[in-house]
Amino acid sequence: MVRLTMKIFQPKLFTSMHSYSKKQLLHDVIAGVIVAIIALPLSIALAIASGVSPEKGLYTAIVAGFVIAILGGSKVNISGPTAAFATIVASIVAQYDVSGLVIATIMAGIILILMGIFKFGSLIKYIPYTITTGFTSGIAVTIVIGQIKDFLGLTFVEGTKAVESMEKVKAIITSISTFNWQALLVGLIALAILIVWPHISKMIPGSLIAVVAGVIIVKVFSMDVNTIGDLYQISSSLPPFAVPTFDLAMIRQLLPSAFTIAILAGIESLLSCVVSDGMIDDRHNSNTELIAQGVGNICSGLFGGIPATGAIARTAANVKNGGRTPVAGIVHAVVLLLILVVLMPYAAWIPMPVIAAILFMVAYNMCEWRQFVKICKTAPKSDILVLVVTFVLTIVFDLVVAIEVGMLIAMILFMKRMVDITHIRAWTEADEKSETDGGRLKVIPKNTDVFEINGPMFFASSEKFASIPLREGAKVLIIRMRNVPTLDASAMKTLTAIYQACEQTGVTLVISHANEQPLSVMRKSGFVNTIGAENFKSNIDEALAYADHLVKA
């Protein structure tokens, strides 16, 4: 049991220490400081986009980033708030307040831990790429819609409800007459810096330069532009520890959202790990990473933060600046803690159009529009349908609905594909030439019928082989299952019905070349004992020879 647990949970921090050196410590410290500088404006911006106060973004990066770095299954993964959560977090806060968000975050953490313990790390890859692309692109659009107000300096009418994306669009159109040209100017300057600066220097993040430039412009020219301090109360205190009061009714209501947060955290974190593996030639432990993400999210909720996951951009920056062990992630969290205590009051000066510009760039970088267009041009119509439906539902409704409906459509379409490739071929000629058997002639004995099933035998395809005809005068029915990879309970019931029909008409049922999984199902159901083990043959040649013997006898 202990050995099994260790295989599931093996934090990279402890294995990295075996060959740690002073030189690597220096590289990790430098990378951690740079990543902290990158994470500072992003954490504040993502907290605001999520509908919570700015410092909660830092609480998340500090607490979750520290815990996940210590316990994680990747050497270089950097965790914190990400844009993927913005829409669903804002929705939870609007409906259940911050207390509801804390409960949902802790529940998501518990789900992630269970996913890791039960080795679900490898199962997340089975979520269709069209769904992840659809909701990622949808989230990017919702982030853009949510930041138009601050970018244009609009003033919504008092009492305006603007939680869902469509409500925000309506409020923007209604309030367009309140447009503030000064806010737009500051936003455009910040956006230009964010676009141009990476071509000038990659050592200092463009978001930090944009923030500094925005603050200077607004202060020097006394511009009439909203700042963070105008809209939020900012705290520079340490993350407060508080255990929420769990209410059964609220837990029931928040469970779908908690599952969505857990799935998003798992997908984004493991995707970040895969990307970083290729950069440092290492292999992460997916189940350990899920457990670490779970513990990190629980701690984030207990210390007033929001959901966290592995951040691909910050992880890439960590690697590019020399980070090679979880020490860099720990340093990143400690530096952010120092910034919170010392510099957080100055965050009140940051103009809201600058925050909007930063989030516009975040949305652009995550939208995957090239992949979206490529799928629409090259993929089958069914994949395009899943992509577009998930994308539209993410924008019009919310992420929970989008993922649920997207997965449902994907599963239905997958089953349809499986049904389409499943077919039955009757061997009706006296001399059957089988291309799959090297073109050899197969002589079918007198009074023998042969049916070959190709494709999975499951509940959706059962109807296709339920009506295998029993020819009058036939003495043996051979069902060839060489190309049947799987068999489920529904198909097993249909197969049993075929046997019963054979028994009533005096026909011997022979099964040819049953593969491992179908044969296992037939053994467990008692079907093998029912028709007799002697009626199972390993290949069609044996089955035909056996049928000839039965007919002559």
Side-chain angles (χ1 to χ4, degrees):
M1 180 65 182
V2 174
R3 187 178 298 175
L4 178 63
T5 304
M6 289 305 294
K7 287 183 179 179
I8 295 173
F9 187 65
Q10 293 178 320
K12 287 285 187 176
L13 175 64
F14 305 111
T15 57
S16 299
M17 292 298 101
H18 294 160
S19 58
Y20 203 62
S21 64
K22 291 182 180 179
K23 183 179 179 181
Q24 187 56 56
L25 174 62
L26 179 62
H27 287 310
D28 286 338
V29 170
I30 293 172
V33 172
I34 293 173
V35 172
I37 295 172
I38 295 171
L40 173 62
L42 284 177
S43 298
I44 292 173
L46 291 169
I48 292 172
S50 301
V52 297
S53 54
E55 71 276 5
K56 291 188 180 297
L58 288 181
Y59 291 168
T60 308
I62 293 166
V63 176
F66 184 83
V67 171
I68 295 169
I70 292 176
L71 303 178
S74 168
K75 288 183 177 180
V76 293
N77 210 15
I78 301 294
S79 296
T82 66
F85 294 125
T87 304
I88 189 167
V89 169
S91 177
I92 294 171
V93 171
Q95 287 184 270
Y96 304 101
D97 203 14
V98 176
S99 59
L101 174 62
V102 171
I103 293 174
T105 303
I106 293 174
M107 288 168 59
I110 295 170
I111 294 169
L112 280 164
I113 292 173
L114 293 175
M115 288 168 66
I117 291 174
F118 291 106
K119 299 184 179 181
F120 280 14
S122 60
L123 295 182
I124 289 181
K125 65 185 178 183
Y126 294 116
I127 295 178
Y129 179 63
T130 48
I131 290 180
T132 57
T133 303
F135 73 64
T136 301
S137 300
I139 290 170
V141 172
T142 60
I143 290 173
V144 170
I145 292 172
Q147 297 308 308
I148 292 176
K149 172 182 177 291
D150 291 326
F151 194 76
L152 299 180
L154 303 179
T155 303
F156 287 175
V157 178
E158 189 175 349
T160 299
K161 182 185 177 184
V163 178
E164 303 294 339
S165 295
M166 294 300 101
E167 294 173 343
K168 291 176 182 177
V169 171
K170 183 179 178 182
I172 289 168
I173 295 172
T174 305
S175 307
I176 197 67
S177 59
T178 64
F179 159 72
N180 181 348
W181 70 268
Q182 295 184 27
L184 176 61
L185 179 61
V186 173
L188 288 173
I189 292 173
L191 194 58
I193 292 172
L194 290 166
I195 295 171
V196 174
W197 185 259
H199 300 287
I200 299 173
S201 172
K202 294 184 178 180
M203 291 297 295
I204 303 175
S207 55
L208 186 63
I209 301 299
V211 165
V212 173
V215 170
I216 291 173
I217 292 171
V218 171
K219 288 289 184 182
V220 170
F221 296 100
S222 301
M223 300 182 77
D224 181 23
V225 176
N226 280 336
T227 63
I228 290 178
D230 295 329
L231 303 180
Y232 298 95
Q233 291 289 333
I234 296 180
S235 172
S236 60
S237 60
L238 296 174
F241 178 81
V243 179
T245 301
F246 285 85
D247 177 72
L248 187 60
M250 184 171 284
I251 290 175
R252 193 182 300 114
Q253 292 171 349
L254 288 169
L255 192 59
S257 297
F259 266 107
T260 303
I261 292 172
I263 291 171
L264 281 177
I267 292 173
E268 189 158 3
S269 179
L270 296 183
L271 181 60
S272 179
C273 289
V274 170
V275 171
S276 63
D277 282 352
M279 297 176 74
I280 64 172
D281 193 24
D282 190 45
R283 186 175 181 180
H284 72 279
N285 185 318
S286 59
N287 296 308
T288 297
E289 184 65 22
L290 288 178
I291 293 172
Q293 291 291 334
V295 177
N297 274 278
I298 291 173
C299 292
S300 179
L302 292 174
F303 282 93
I306 60 178
T309 185
I312 298 174
R314 276 160 270 176
T315 299
N318 178 34
V319 174
K320 289 177 182 178
N321 287 284
R324 289 296 182 273
T325 75
V327 172
I330 295 172
V331 172
H332 137 269
V334 172
V335 172
L336 284 176
L337 179 63
L338 295 174
I339 292 173
L340 170 70
V341 175
V342 178
L343 300 177
M344 195 59 187
Y346 299 104
W349 297 353
I350 301 175
M352 292 303 295
V354 175
I355 295 295
I358 291 172
L359 289 169
F360 281 167
M361 289 304 297
V362 169
Y364 176 79
N365 290 330
M366 73 175 290
C367 70
E368 298 188 5
W369 67 269
R370 292 181 179 84
Q371 291 300 321
F372 195 103
V373 173
K374 183 178 180 180
I375 291 173
C376 289
K377 286 182 176 179
T378 61
K381 291 181 180 179
S382 56
D383 286 343
I384 297 173
L385 175 65
V386 173
L387 173 72
V388 173
V389 167
T390 306
F391 173 72
V392 172
L393 290 179
T394 301
I395 299 171
V396 176
F397 294 100
D398 59 47
L399 202 54
V400 177
V401 174
I403 291 178
E404 289 175 349
V405 175
M407 285 297 292
L408 180 62
I409 294 175
M411 287 188 289
I412 291 173
L413 291 173
F414 174 76
M415 287 189 292
K416 183 180 182 302
R417 288 174 188 163
M418 293 300 99
V419 172
D420 289 342
I421 66 171
T422 302
H423 63 276
I424 298 174
R425 186 170 71 94
W427 290 19
T428 55
E429 300 177 5
D431 292 316
E432 176 68 28
K433 190 174 183 180
S434 174
E435 294 181 0
T436 59
D437 287 313
R440 290 179 296 153
L441 293 177
K442 302 293 182 184
V443 179
I444 301 176
K446 184 180 179 183
N447 297 329
T448 299
D449 288 338
V450 180
F451 288 89
E452 183 173 349
I453 301 176
N454 295 282
M457 296 172 66
F458 68 116
F459 63 92
S461 63
S462 295
E463 187 179 346
K464 280 197 169 185
F465 56 88
S467 56
I468 289 180
L470 295 177
R471 182 170 53 87
E472 187 176 352
K475 297 297 181 182
V476 179
L477 171 63
I478 298 174
I479 297 182
R480 193 187 193 200
M481 298 177 63
R482 172 179 175 172
N483 296 316
V484 176
T486 60
L487 175 74
D488 73 357
S490 298
M492 188 66 254
K493 184 178 179 182
T494 303
L495 199 57
T496 302
I498 293 172
Y499 165 71
Q500 291 171 347
C502 290
E503 191 177 33
Q504 291 174 2
T505 55
V507 175
T508 301
L509 177 63
V510 178
I511 304 294
S512 168
H513 201 146
N515 291 304
E516 184 177 351
Q517 193 276 343
L519 189 57
S520 175
V521 173
M522 286 188 275
R523 282 200 185 104
K524 289 181 180 178
S525 67
F527 186 73
V528 173
N529 293 331
T530 300
I531 74 170
E534 69 278 4
N535 291 322
F536 281 80
K537 301 301 175 183
S538 60
N539 56 62
I540 191 63
D541 292 320
E542 288 185 14
L544 292 172
Y546 180 63
D548 185 55
H549 169 73
L550 290 176
V551 170
K552 289 179 178 178

